[in-house]
Amino acid sequence: MTYCVGMLIDSGIVMMSDTRTNAGVDNVSTFRKMFHWSVEDDRVITLLTAGNLATTQSVLSQLEERNKAPAERHNSLLEAPTMFQVATQVGKLLNDTIAAQRAEHGQEGSDKMFQASIIVAGQIKGMEPRLFLVYPEGNFIEASFDTPYFQIGETKYGRPILVRGYSRDMSFEDAIKLVLVSFDSTIKANLSVGPPLDLLVMERDNFLPVHRRRIGADDPYFRAVSVGWGEALRRAFHDLPDYEMADEHAPVP
Amino acid sequence: MTYCVGMLIDSGIVMMSDTRTNAGVDNVSTFRKMFHWSVEDDRVITLLTAGNLATTQSVLSQLEERNKAPAERHNSLLEAPTMFQVATQVGKLLNDTIAAQRAEHGQEGSDKMFQASIIVAGQIKGMEPRLFLVYPEGNFIEASFDTPYFQIGETKYGRPILVRGYSRDMSFEDAIKLVLVSFDSTIKANLSVGPPLDLLVMERDNFLPVHRRRIGADDPYFRAVSVGWGEALRRAFHDLPDYEMADEHAPVP
């Protein structure tokens, strides 16, 4: 599995991904699922990938034209005029890659084989920061402040805290803390999501990531959040009003 | 969908189910998914059901022999010598019901068609309270204090708080509060899980439920938990240490 979150706030976009991949629980590896490119004073683009690793690595290799000699490579995302066109290009490559694999394998396997999803986020100078979720079919949806974050991979365990904790005017620091709590809940529940976690922060109108790091399982802040969240939840739970079993209640149908 | 939880604590067993069923989001109904029987000073048995409603209603009807005249009906669960045999009987009926439907429909539809799962809990005099999860195949697993609760239906949204909040020596009141918080997180995330909620508490060595009620969406305690939990989570989140974007960090690979 995988867990990735892209979150839009007023100040910019926070992106986080785990790095665990598995082909069965007896075959677990670490692979980067976050990729970013910056052109100074022009654009910053970040992708988060989930799904079939061969598919997502192939999409990335094609984006960077790794079949060519290094000097001749050329990433068309860096020349797309809008983030909408960036998402369109990623979607087309993703769908073509999946379709090519399926064409070779015919009716073997299920519909889900070779599938992947990609979160695309970034900003091009003169335009707003934008956040997209690209489906395996190549089409995509865009985040707005009605639905200001996208999750891919194992999305359920970490969703309730995002729903409760998000506000668009939160600081980057609070947004990072919120996303880390969401990752902690997911990691505790699903073995196939695991650290290290990759974090990248894109500030509005700043075309270099303002913050970027890898957070290991033994990172002191991550450990403080993980342990502290357990204690904070227990206090929060204790603070709720107590149930009264002796109350008068509605009759049971 | 559905959400049901059966939770074993030192004092007994707490059971909760939602009542929403749906055949598409445009066809939503309310059906009971909790069923219980008591024989004074002898046994108490409760079932929670998830999955295909025709399957689970058929299993219940067969258990209660509703094809016979009321006076001739006879529920064999009330004469099973052990809870293990209760779970075995429920499993056999469940598997036979699914198999009969599939036999009629051959290769139409998917493997998941007609499937259902059942949580079986109760106590027979002279033995311990026991909690089982019965699979569609009719086999089952039993809870222990390593894994003291079972969830069926939409299990993921409500799991993190159970993982963090459970302790075997908690009171019935705290266990009910914990399960309600878990239901609230699930209801907020999945439209196909909804109130009213059915609650039943079986106290160790007491063969009548000590508490049983239906909790509506407008129940004052449920509303207090729902609103209070949002606020308590925000306080808990605020209490966590703040992230420092300016920290020295490990290099990004």
Side-chain angles (χ1 to χ4, degrees):
Chain A
M1 207 83 178
T2 281
Y3 185 39
C4 298
V5 175
M7 178 181 283
L8 190 64
I9 57 177
D10 285 336
S11 322
I13 299 175
V14 173
M15 307 283 276
M16 193 177 287
S17 64
D18 84 320
T19 53
R20 187 163 292 175
T21 66
N22 70 297
V25 288
D26 53 350
N27 187 355
V28 173
S29 308
T30 300
F31 281 94
R32 171 168 284 279
K33 303 170 190 176
M34 175 186 285
F35 305 90
H36 90 104
W37 303 271
S38 291
V39 178
E40 206 179 333
D41 204 31
D42 175 64
R43 71 186 57 204
V44 55
I45 296 170
T46 306
L47 306 188
L48 304 177
T49 62
N52 184 291
L53 186 64
T55 296
T56 58
Q57 288 199 347
S58 170
V59 169
L60 263 290
S61 298
Q62 292 172 77
L63 280 175
E64 297 193 321
E65 299 196 331
R66 290 190 204 152
N67 57 334
K68 299 188 183 169
E72 292 166 13
R73 288 177 192 170
H74 153 214
N75 180 340
S76 58
L77 297 190
L78 304 186
E79 293 173 4
T82 63
M83 284 301 299
F84 183 89
Q85 290 205 19
V86 169
T88 303
Q89 286 184 29
V90 170
K92 177 159 172 36
L93 265 178
L94 177 60
N95 183 53
D96 288 352
T97 305
I98 296 170
Q101 286 293 323
R102 286 201 181 140
E104 281 190 34
H105 292 268
Q107 295 303 311
E108 295 166 39
S110 80
D111 281 357
K112 301 282 179 196
M113 265 179 91
F114 311 118
Q115 277 205 351
S117 311
I118 300 182
I119 292 175
V120 176
Q123 186 181 12
I124 296 175
K125 195 171 186 174
M127 289 168 274
E128 290 288 298
R130 296 179 75 177
L131 173 65
F132 300 91
L133 170 57
V134 181
Y135 294 112
E137 293 76 11
N139 56 351
F140 52 84
I141 57 174
E142 181 174 4
S144 67
F145 283 106
D146 287 328
T147 300
Y149 42 81
F150 288 133
Q151 306 166 281
I152 52 177
E154 174 56 275
T155 61
K156 292 189 176 184
Y157 296 115
R159 189 166 179 87
I161 185 60
L162 295 182
V163 171
R164 300 281 202 170
Y166 175 86
S167 65
R168 60 182 285 178
D169 60 352
M170 67 202 311
S171 65
F172 283 133
E173 287 82 355
D174 274 356
I176 293 168
K177 185 162 82 167
L178 180 63
V179 172
L180 266 181
V181 170
S182 175
F183 268 78
D184 179 58
S185 292
T186 308
I187 288 169
K188 283 211 161 41
N190 186 333
L191 274 184
S192 71
V193 176
L197 309 177
D198 285 324
L199 166 65
L200 187 146
V201 178
M202 293 178 283
E203 187 181 30
R204 172 186 284 270
D205 298 330
N206 180 343
F207 302 98
L208 289 170
V210 289
H211 189 66
R212 180 173 167 236
R213 61 179 292 223
R214 176 158 278 196
I215 299 168
D218 55 353
D219 176 85
Y221 182 73
F222 182 51
R223 290 198 60 76
V225 164
S226 181
V227 173
W229 185 240
E231 288 163 7
L233 274 189
R234 278 185 286 273
R235 276 197 305 277
F237 178 71
H238 183 77
D239 289 349
L240 287 178
D242 287 328
Y243 187 78
E244 298 281 346
M245 280 175 58
D247 267 3
E248 289 295 319
H249 298 306
V252 178
Chain B
M1 206 83 176
T2 282
Y3 185 39
C4 298
V5 175
M7 178 181 282
L8 192 63
I9 57 177
D10 284 336
S11 322
I13 299 175
V14 173
M15 308 283 275
M16 194 177 286
S17 64
D18 85 319
T19 52
R20 187 163 293 174
T21 66
N22 72 297
V25 288
D26 53 350
N27 187 353
V28 172
S29 308
T30 299
F31 280 94
R32 171 168 284 277
K33 305 171 189 175
M34 176 187 285
F35 306 90
H36 90 104
W37 304 269
S38 290
V39 178
E40 205 179 332
D41 204 32
D42 175 64
R43 70 186 57 202
V44 55
I45 296 171
T46 306
L47 307 188
L48 304 177
T49 62
N52 185 291
L53 185 65
T55 296
T56 57
Q57 287 198 348
S58 170
V59 168
L60 263 291
S61 296
Q62 291 172 77
L63 280 175
E64 296 193 323
E65 299 194 333
R66 290 189 203 153
N67 57 334
K68 298 187 182 170
E72 292 166 14
R73 289 177 192 170
H74 152 218
N75 180 339
S76 59
L77 298 189
L78 303 186
E79 293 173 3
T82 64
M83 283 302 298
F84 183 89
Q85 289 205 20
V86 168
T88 303
Q89 285 183 30
V90 170
K92 179 160 171 36
L93 265 179
L94 177 59
N95 183 54
D96 289 353
T97 304
I98 297 170
Q101 286 293 324
R102 285 201 183 141
E104 281 189 35
H105 291 267
Q107 295 303 311
E108 295 165 39
S110 80
D111 281 358
K112 301 282 180 196
M113 266 179 91
F114 311 118
Q115 278 204 352
S117 310
I118 300 181
I119 292 175
V120 176
Q123 186 180 12
I124 296 175
K125 195 172 187 174
M127 290 169 274
E128 290 288 298
R130 297 179 76 176
L131 174 64
F132 300 91
L133 170 58
V134 181
Y135 295 111
E137 293 76 11
N139 57 351
F140 52 84
I141 58 175
E142 182 174 3
S144 67
F145 282 107
D146 287 328
T147 299
Y149 42 82
F150 288 132
Q151 306 165 281
I152 51 178
E154 174 57 275
T155 62
K156 292 189 177 184
Y157 297 115
R159 189 169 180 84
I161 185 59
L162 295 182
V163 170
R164 300 281 201 171
Y166 175 85
S167 65
R168 60 183 286 178
D169 60 352
M170 68 203 310
S171 65
F172 283 132
E173 286 83 356
D174 275 357
I176 292 168
K177 184 161 81 168
L178 180 63
V179 172
L180 266 182
V181 171
S182 175
F183 268 77
D184 179 59
S185 293
T186 308
I187 288 169
K188 283 210 162 41
N190 188 332
L191 275 185
S192 72
V193 176
L197 309 177
D198 285 324
L199 165 65
L200 187 146
V201 178
M202 293 178 282
E203 186 180 33
R204 171 185 286 269
D205 298 331
N206 180 343
F207 303 98
L208 290 171
V210 288
H211 189 66
R212 180 173 166 236
R213 62 180 290 222
R214 175 158 279 195
I215 299 169
D218 56 354
D219 177 85
Y221 182 74
F222 182 50
R223 290 199 58 78
V225 163
S226 182
V227 174
W229 186 240
E231 287 163 8
L233 274 189
R234 279 185 285 274
R235 276 198 304 276
F237 179 70
H238 183 76
D239 289 349
L240 287 178
D242 287 328
Y243 188 77
E244 298 281 347
M245 280 176 59
D247 268 3
E248 290 296 319
H249 298 305
V252 178

